[in-house]
Amino acid sequence: MSAMFWSLTLLYALGFGGAFVVLVLAGQLVARDALLHDYPPAIQQRYGPQSARGRRVARWTSAGTALLLVATPLLGMLSLAHHTGAVPGFWDGFVFGTVLFATLTAADLVIIDWWLFCTPRSRLFVLPGTEGMPEYTDRAFHLRVLVPAPVPWPLLAIPGYGLAVGGAAALAGVLL
């Protein structure tokens, strides 16, 4: 894989991770309880049921994330084909998708969960009535969600997404 491939892959991965973080933050600005289902159980219990607005925003941010998951590899593979003059194959798509999803996972864990959620400097992630709860600083909770026992399915989704993107790239190569 060429230097052009790696530079485009890293550019798209950083853009993808950044767009995801912006999408989550925008959702939190509109409804602070949009991510309630991702909060530790004690915080969920104390806060109570999610608001109707929070449910709507959660659906919109989920739809935005799904759009990112489809559009980013499509645009990336088209960009790669344009810059290299060759149709990307399975391995190009696999590596591209794996790097994208690994970046998304890292951005979610490190930026959103550990930095913004666990070290609350703003009220963006602190739900009314739950201020000062020790669960807000529990970094291990977020790691356990990412690597649950006995099967770390969120980590397995990283190469799984790579397989999907690689398969789509291979199929496009056959059809083109």
Side-chain angles (χ1 to χ4, degrees), residues 137-157:
T137 59
D138 184 6
R139 284 180 171 78
F141 167 79
H142 300 281
L143 196 55
R144 284 189 307 273
V145 169
L146 181 61
V147 190
V151 179
W153 64 266
L155 289 182
L156 295 176

Side-chain angles (χ1 to χ4, degrees), residues 31-153:
R32 287 194 358 220
D33 66 343
L35 295 174
L36 182 63
H37 65 282
D38 289 332
Y39 280 57
I43 294 173
Q44 290 182 40
Q45 185 176 10
R46 182 179 291 174
Y47 180 74
Q50 188 177 37
S51 68
R53 182 181 185 138
R55 285 190 300 276
R56 280 192 308 274
V57 171
R59 281 193 298 271
W60 280 104
T61 55
S62 293
T65 300
L67 181 62
L68 280 173
L69 287 169
V70 172
T72 305
L74 176 65
L75 293 173
M77 292 294 101
L78 289 172
S79 180
L80 188 62
H82 172 74
H83 285 26
T84 63
V87 177
F90 172 79
W91 289 109
D92 299 314
F94 175 76
V95 170
F96 189 86
T98 300
V99 170
L100 280 181
F101 210 78
T103 302
L104 171 77
T105 302
D108 186 31
L109 179 67
V110 175
I111 296 172
I112 295 173
D113 293 344
W114 284 353
W115 185 50
L116 295 173
F117 185 87
C118 289
T119 54
R121 292 182 171 85
S122 73
R123 302 187 58 73
L124 190 61
F125 286 91
V126 178
L127 298 170
T130 65
E131 298 88 349
M133 290 184 71
E135 287 81 2
Y136 278 109
T137 59
D138 184 6
R139 284 180 171 78
F141 167 79
H142 300 281
L143 196 55
R144 284 189 307 273
V145 169
L146 181 61
V147 190
V151 179
W153 64 266

